[in-house]
C-alpha cells in the first residue's frame, strides 16, 4: 500500500494484536497442508509467480505451491550478482532524462495477454519513483526494454495491460506541472496536471512506444485496470485527493466522501488522435533497449501527443467512488469494476453496462474541468456490506467469486459477484496489501490458490534485527472456504504479483546464446582471436572463458590510470554453464557471462602491482584453477604489452622482436 493513514496504522496494529497466532482458524490441518504444498525433490512447481520487489527494484520469481524462490531478476536496480547495470552492455538500460538512475520502486508486475489471458511472452513492471515501464522477456528472464514516462511523477497506476497488449498504461500518482516548470506549490490547483499515459506494444516484438497522454485534473492517480470483453476499449484509473490538497494529504485528501474512478475510452482517444485533436507537448524521455547484439542503447523521445477531455469529448468520465479508492479491478466478464476504499467499510462495485447507459442518458451529477461526473446511483451495481475494514485490492477465481484484501482488518474476504454477499473470510498475518490468484485479473483465471502479500509481518519468522521479512501466504481456494496452507518470506516488499501455469513457459526457455550468432563487436568466438589492444590510455582485453581457464590469463604492460575493458566471451554451448569474472579492486561488480555471451567490465587500476582475476561461478572441478594475473606498472612505464594467447605468439613470432604487439 502506498499511503498509510495514521488511522490505518493504528487500526492495523490493533487488528494484528487481536489475531491469535498459531491457533488461527482454518490453518490447514498440518499434515494435509504440508502434502498440498510439498513439491518433492526433483519435481517442479505448478505455477511461476512473479512478485514485484517494491523498493528492491527487481522481480522475484517463485514456484507455487512450494513458495521456493527460483530467481531474482534485475530490472531497475543494479545487480552486482550478474553485473546488471554495471557491465558496459547493460548500463544504458538505467538511463533516464535525469541521468543514470540505478534504483527504483517496482510495484505491479503484469503478464502480457492474448485475448485477455496471460500468454507467457512478457512481463511488464512499473518504476514508481523515476517513472518508467520495463518489459521482461520470459524466455530469458531478462529485462529487454525500459521506457521512461515523461510528464509523470510516481508512475504508480501502471503498467496494466489491455486484452491483447494494445496498450500498457501509466498514470501519475503525484500530479506535477506538465511540462514540469518552476511554479509555486500554492498554485497546485491551477498549474498542476494529472497525466495518464498509453503505451503501444508491438505485437510481434513487444517493443513499446508512447502513443498518447491525457491531461486530467491534478488528483493522485493511484491504480488502474483495463476493461475486458464488453468493456474492452476502456481503462479505469482510481484517484484520490480530489480535494487537491498540496500538503498534509493524510488529512487534506480525506475530506471528500467520494473521490473518483476515471473511466477512459481509449478507442475514443484513438479517434481524436486521428482527427488531430491532440497537441504536441515537448518532453524529453529515454527509451532503452537491448539490441540483437545484446547491447543496450538509449534513444530519446522529444515530445508526446497530449489529449484533453475538453478537446476530445467522450474521452473521460468520472465515477464517484467512496473514500480515497486504491485498487480498481475488473471481473473476468468485464461487467464489474470493483474499487478498494482504503478507509471504507464497504466495497463499491460499478457496472459497466450501467455506466454506458448513464453516459447515453447523460446521468451527470456535475462536471470537473470538462469531465462529466456520472451519478453514483446510476453506475453502482451494488456494495459489498461488512466486508471488513480497508479494502484495497480484488482478484477473481473465474467461478463467480471475488477476493478482496482488507488492509486494516488483516483478512481476505470472499464474496459473490451474483449478490455481493460475503461468503467467507480468513485472517492474514498481517496487514495484507495486494493479493493474487494465478490469472486472477484476466478473462480466465487459473484459480486454485490465492496468495496474500503482507506488509507488516511482525512475528512470523525468526527475527532479523529491526527489519523483518515480509510474508506471502498461500491459501487454497478450491473449496467453499479458504484454507491457509503455507507462508514464506519474500524479497523486498512485494506489492502486486502475477502467476501463470508453468507449462506456458517452461519449455520455451533459452538454454544458451548461439556463439556463432554473437554480434558483440568485441566477441571472441575462439581462443585464436583473443587479444589485447592499446589505444592511448584505453586497453581492450578480448578474452574467452571456458572450463576451466581464461585466455589470455597473463597480461603485462598495463599502466596505472588506464581504462581497461575486459570483454569476456563465454565459449560454452551447454545449458547452465555461466562463467564469472572479477578482478581485484574493481570499483563496480563482477560479470556473469551466459554461454555464448560477451560481457564487458571496465577497470581503472589505481596502483602498481600484480592483480589477480578469477571465475566467480563454480563451473567445474577445476573452477578454483580458473584464474589469471595482470601486471600493473606506473604511468608512462615502457613495460611492453604482452599476453599469453595465440595472437601474441603470432605477432611476436613474426619478428616483432622485443616490440610490444598492439601498442
Ligand atoms: Cu496497493 Cu503500490 Cu498496488 Cu502496495 S500498491 S499494496
Ligand atoms: Cu568458470 Cu568457475
Amino acid at each position: 500500500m502506498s499511503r498509510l493513514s495514521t488511522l490505518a496504522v493504528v487500526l492495523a496494529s490493533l487488528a494484528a494484536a487481536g489475531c491469535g497466532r498459531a491457533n488461527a482458524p482454518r490453518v490447514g490441518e498440518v499434515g494435509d497442508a504440508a502434502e498440498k504444498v510439498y513439491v518433492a525433490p526433483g519435481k517442479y512447481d505448478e505455477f511461476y509467480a512473479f512478485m514485484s520487489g517494491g523498493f528492491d527494484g527487481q522481480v522475484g520469481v517463485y514456484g507455487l505451491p512450494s513458495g521456493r524462490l527460483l530467481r531474482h531478476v534485475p530490472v531497475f536496480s543494479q545487480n552486482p550478482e550478474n553485473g546488471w547495470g554495471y557491465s558496459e552492455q547493460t548500463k544504458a538500460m538505467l538511463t533516464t532524462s535525469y541521468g543514470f538512475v540505478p534504483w527504483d520502486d517496482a510495484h505491479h508486475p503484469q503478464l502480457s495477454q492474448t485475448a485477455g489471458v496471460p500468454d507467457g511472452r512478457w512481463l511488464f513492471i512499473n518504476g514508481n519513483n523515476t517513472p518508467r515501464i520495463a518489459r521482461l522477456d520470459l524466455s530469458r528472464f531478462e529485462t529487454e526494454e525500459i521506457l521512461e514516462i515523461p510528464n509523470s511523477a510516481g508512475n504508480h497506476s501502471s503498467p496494466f495491460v489491455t486484452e491483447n497488449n494494445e496498450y500498457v498504461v501509466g498514470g501519475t500518482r503525484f500530479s506535477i506541472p506538465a511540462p514540469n516548470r518552476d511554479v509555486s506549490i500554492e498554485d497546485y490547483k491551477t498549474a498542476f496536471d494529472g497525466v495518464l499515459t498509453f503505451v503501444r506494444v508491438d505485437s510481434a516484438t513487444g517493443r513499446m512506444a508512447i502513443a498518447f497522454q491525457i491531461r486530467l485534473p491534478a488528483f493522485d492517480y493511484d491504480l488502474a485496470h483495463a476493461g475486458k470483453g464488453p468493456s474492452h476499449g476502456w481503462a479505469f484509473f482510481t484517484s484520490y485527493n480530489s480535494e487537491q490538497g498540496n500538503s498534509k494529504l493524510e488529512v487534506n485528501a480525506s475530506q471528500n466522501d467520494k473521490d473518483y474512478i476515471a473511466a477512459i475510452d481509449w478507442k475514443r482517444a484513438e479517434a481524436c488522435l486521428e482527427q488531430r485533436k491532440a497537441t504536441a507537448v515537448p518532453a524529453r524521455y529515454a527509451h532503452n533497449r537491448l539490441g540483437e547484439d545484446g547491447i543496450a542503447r538509449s534513444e530519446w523521445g522529444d515530445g508526446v501527443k497530449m489529449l484533453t477531455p475538453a478537446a476530445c469529448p467522450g474521452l473521460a468520465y468520472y465515477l464517484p467512488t467512496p473514500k480515497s479508492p486504491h485498487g480498481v479491478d475488473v471481473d473476468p466478464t468485464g461487467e464489474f469494476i470493483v474499487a478498494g476504499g482504503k478507509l471504507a467499510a464497504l466495497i463499491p462495485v460499478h457496472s459497466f453496462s450501467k455506466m454506458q447507459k448513464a453516459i447515453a442518458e447523460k446521468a451527470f451529477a456535475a462536471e470537473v474541468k470538462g469531465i462529466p461526473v456520472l451519478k453514483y446511483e446510476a453506475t453502482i451495481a451494488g456494495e459489498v456490506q461488512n466486508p471488513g475494514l480497508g479494502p484495497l485490492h480484488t482478484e477473481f477465481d473465474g467461478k463467480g467469486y471475488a477476493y478482496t484484501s482488507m488492509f486494516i482488518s488483516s483478512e481476505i474476504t470472499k464474496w459473490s459477484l451474483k449478490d455481493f454477499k460475503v461468503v467467507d473470510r480468513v485472517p492474514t498475518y498481517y496487514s495484507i496489501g495486494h493479493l493474487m490468484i494465478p490469472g486472477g485479473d484476466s478473462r480466465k483465471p487459473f484459480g486454485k490458490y490465492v496468495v496474500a502479500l503482507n506488509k507488516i509481518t511482525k512475528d512470523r519468522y525468526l527475527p532479523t534485527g529491526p527489519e523483518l521479512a515480509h510474508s506471502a501466504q498461500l491459501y487454497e481456494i478450491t473449496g467453499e472456504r479458504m484454507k491457509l496452507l503455507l507462508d514464506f518470506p519474500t524479497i523486498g516488499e512485494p506489492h502486486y504479483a502475477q502467476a501463470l501455469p508453468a507449462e506456458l513457459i517452461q519449455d520455451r526457455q533459452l538454454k544458451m546464446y548461439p556463439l556463432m550468432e554473437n554480434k558483440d563487436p568485441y566477441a571472441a568466438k575462439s581462443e585464436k582471436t583473443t587479444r589485447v589492444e592499446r589505444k592511448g590510455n584505453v586497453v581492450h582485453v578480448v578474452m574467452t572463458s571456458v572450463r576451466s581457464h581464461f585466455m589470455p590469463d597473463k597480461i603485462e604492460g598495463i599502466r596505472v590510470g588506464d581504462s581497461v575493458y575486459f570483454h569476456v566471451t563465454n565459449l560454452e554451448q551447454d545449458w547452465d554453464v555461466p562463467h564469472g569474472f572479477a578482478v581485484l579492486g574493481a570499483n563496480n561488480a563482477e560479470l556473469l557471462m551466459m554461454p555464448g555471451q560477451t560481457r564487458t567490465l571496465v577497470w581503472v587500476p589505481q596502483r602498481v602491482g600484480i592483480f589477480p582475476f578469477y571465475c566467480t561461478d563454480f563451473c567445474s572441478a577445476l573452477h578454483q584453477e580458473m584464474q589469471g594475473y595482470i601486471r600493473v606498472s606506473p604511468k608512462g612505464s615502457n613495460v611492453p604489452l604482452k599476453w599469453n594467447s595465440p595472437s601474441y605468439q603470432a605477432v611476436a613470432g613474426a619478428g616483432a622482436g622485443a616490440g610490444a604487439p598492439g601498442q
Side-chain angles (χ1 to χ4, degrees):
M1 141 142 202
S2 330
R3 199 178 62 118
L4 302 182
S5 79
T6 318
L7 172 67
V9 174
V10 170
L11 288 172
S13 45
L14 287 177
C19 290
R21 271 194 68 217
N23 57 355
R26 278 182 299 114
V27 174
E29 291 302 317
V30 173
D32 181 41
E35 204 170 293
K36 284 179 170 152
V37 301
Y38 180 67
V39 179
K43 298 284 185 227
Y44 295 155
D45 276 292
E46 188 181 349
F47 294 96
Y48 283 100
F50 302 91
M51 298 190 184
S52 66
F55 45 70
D56 173 58
Q58 322 284 30
V59 168
V61 185
Y62 299 76
L64 297 181
S66 73
R68 297 185 293 201
L69 175 66
L70 305 175
R71 184 137 294 284
H72 185 217
V73 185
V75 185
F76 299 111
S77 298
Q78 280 180 303
N79 188 22
E81 175 185 334
N82 63 1
W84 178 257
Y86 292 98
S87 70
E88 292 305 293
Q89 286 85 354
T90 57
K91 270 182 185 169
M93 288 303 278
L94 305 180
T95 298
T96 74
S97 63
Y98 304 89
F100 182 72
V101 180
W103 169 86
D104 217 309
D105 181 20
H107 284 220
H108 306 121
Q110 269 278 292
L111 291 160
S112 58
Q113 297 188 353
T114 300
V117 180
D119 57 19
R121 300 174 76 192
W122 306 302
L123 184 80
F124 301 93
I125 187 161
N126 64 321
N128 186 53
N129 183 57
T130 303
R132 288 177 273 185
I133 295 175
R135 181 175 54 83
L136 282 64
D137 179 324
L138 293 183
S139 69
R140 294 182 290 132
F141 284 67
E142 185 176 36
T143 305
E144 223 172 37
E145 184 177 12
I146 297 182
L147 175 66
E148 185 180 356
I149 307 296
N151 295 321
S152 188
N155 183 41
H156 192 260
S157 39
S158 181
F160 300 93
V161 301
T162 58
E163 283 191 336
N164 296 292
N165 321 309
E166 291 93 344
Y167 296 102
V168 297
V169 302
T172 196
R173 185 175 137 212
F174 313 113
S175 284
I176 52 166
N180 212 347
R181 56 194 182 274
D182 177 23
V183 296
S184 168
I185 297 166
E186 304 308 325
D187 296 337
Y188 184 95
K189 287 184 184 172
T190 52
F192 285 43
D193 302 283
V195 170
L196 308 181
T197 305
F198 283 72
V199 173
R200 264 259 165 227
V201 179
D202 183 276
S203 58
T205 61
R207 188 176 173 170
M208 300 185 284
I210 296 177
F212 60 92
Q213 295 192 314
I214 302 174
R215 189 192 301 274
L216 292 182
F219 306 157
D220 294 45
Y221 293 90
D222 203 13
L223 273 144
H225 257 103
K228 42 175 92 88
S231 53
H232 179 66
W234 289 77
F236 305 94
F237 296 78
T238 46
S239 67
Y240 58 92
N241 193 22
S242 57
E243 299 85 349
Q244 299 198 293
N246 61 50
S247 71
K248 302 197 181 102
L249 257 55
E250 179 177 45
V251 175
N252 291 333
S254 302
Q255 302 298 311
N256 292 349
D257 189 45
K258 295 192 176 65
D259 295 272
Y260 302 115
I261 288 175
I264 304 295
D265 181 346
W266 55 257
K267 297 224 162 135
R268 175 82 188 120
E270 289 173 345
C272 289
L273 282 181
E274 237 165 64
Q275 297 159 15
R276 303 181 177 279
K277 299 267 174 70
T279 50
V281 172
R284 185 173 152 79
Y285 60 93
H287 184 190
N288 314 318
R289 276 190 315 133
L290 281 183
E292 275 190 16
D293 51 10
I295 300 174
R297 292 181 187 82
S298 303
E299 291 167 7
W300 292 94
D302 58 4
V304 293
K305 292 176 185 156
M306 186 71 79
L307 286 167
T308 60
C312 179
L315 169 66
Y317 297 90
Y318 277 142
L319 313 181
T321 302
K323 293 281 164 213
S324 302
H326 183 56
V328 56
D329 299 283
V330 180
D331 87 306
T333 69
E335 162 65 3
F336 296 118
I337 302 143
V338 181
K342 288 167 293 203
L343 303 176
L346 54 78
I347 302 170
V349 184
H350 294 285
S351 150
F352 179 74
S353 52
K354 285 185 79 175
M355 181 190 100
Q356 292 236 292
K357 190 157 169 277
I359 292 170
E361 292 172 356
K362 297 200 162 37
F364 303 151
E367 206 182 87
V368 176
K369 285 207 179 169
I371 303 167
V373 178
L374 299 172
K375 287 188 177 140
Y376 182 68
E377 310 74 47
T379 63
I380 202 80
E383 292 169 341
V384 181
Q385 300 296 333
N386 303 315
L389 284 177
L392 290 187
H393 299 283
T394 300
E395 293 261 298
F396 307 92
D397 65 3
K399 294 177 179 156
Y401 295 100
Y403 299 71
T404 301
S405 56
M406 298 300 197
F407 177 77
I408 296 176
S409 54
S410 232
E411 59 190 328
I412 297 174
T413 297
K414 175 181 175 182
W415 50 277
S416 165
L417 286 161
K418 270 206 199 83
D419 54 12
F420 309 130
K421 292 262 173 7
V422 172
V423 297
D424 191 24
R425 44 210 291 173
V426 66
T428 60
Y429 308 91
Y430 304 98
S431 304
I432 182 174
H434 275 270
L435 75 181
M436 180 273 283
I437 292 173
D441 71 342
S442 76
R443 288 190 75 167
K444 290 201 183 103
F446 306 107
K448 202 157 179 180
Y449 304 109
V450 63
V451 178
L453 299 150
N454 302 319
K455 304 289 177 194
I456 300 163
T457 305
K458 299 291 178 204
D459 54 6
R460 294 308 284 180
Y461 308 114
L462 286 174
T464 52
E467 191 189 12
L468 304 174
H470 292 263
S471 77
Q473 292 182 302
L474 183 80
Y475 298 79
E476 184 179 57
I477 56 168
T478 47
E480 260 174 44
R481 312 200 67 193
M482 295 174 274
K483 204 157 98 177
L484 175 59
L485 300 178
L486 177 75
D487 73 11
F488 52 96
T490 56
I491 290 178
E493 180 186 7
H495 287 260
Y496 194 29
Q498 297 239 290
L500 46 60
E503 65 208 22
L504 280 177
I505 52 179
Q506 73 185 78
D507 296 330
R508 293 202 281 111
Q509 293 307 302
L510 179 77
K511 296 190 169 67
M512 71 207 71
Y513 293 91
L515 182 63
M516 289 308 140
E517 291 167 27
N518 184 327
K519 295 190 180 73
D520 191 290
Y522 288 99
K525 295 181 188 175
S526 80
E527 294 187 345
K528 282 202 188 90
T529 57
T530 59
R531 61 194 183 274
V532 183
E533 298 166 347
R534 173 181 287 283
K535 291 173 186 157
N537 286 335
V538 175
V539 178
H540 291 281
V541 179
V542 179
M543 185 183 258
T544 56
S545 57
V546 72
R547 280 162 291 182
S548 295
H549 61 271
F550 293 103
M551 178 72 83
D553 68 358
K554 207 160 65 171
I555 301 167
E556 300 202 1
I558 304 298
R559 301 169 193 151
V560 168
D562 282 345
S563 290
V564 183
Y565 288 75
F566 295 101
H567 308 279
V568 193
T569 299
N570 180 344
L571 294 179
E572 306 281 353
Q573 291 288 270
D574 268 334
W575 197 9
D576 197 26
V577 192
H579 291 288
F581 176 86
V583 60
L584 170 64
N587 295 129
N588 32 29
E590 70 159 342
L591 296 173
L592 202 61
M593 297 77 64
M594 299 304 127
Q597 190 180 49
T598 305
R599 283 291 174 256
T600 300
L601 188 80
V602 182
W603 174 60
V604 182
Q606 313 283 344
R607 47 173 115 148
V608 302
I610 300 299
F611 291 77
F613 58 90
Y614 73 105
C615 172
T616 53
D617 188 326
F618 208 107
C619 50
S620 78
L622 295 172
H623 157 81
Q624 286 301 83
E625 280 70 18
M626 200 164 170
Q627 64 173 58
Y629 284 116
I630 302 164
R631 172 183 172 190
V632 176
S633 305
K635 250 191 185 110
S637 127
N638 56 9
V639 173
L641 195 65
K642 143 175 168 189
W643 65 94
N644 64 336
S645 76
S647 58
Y648 178 77
Q649 267 107 49
V651 179
Q663 204 165 12

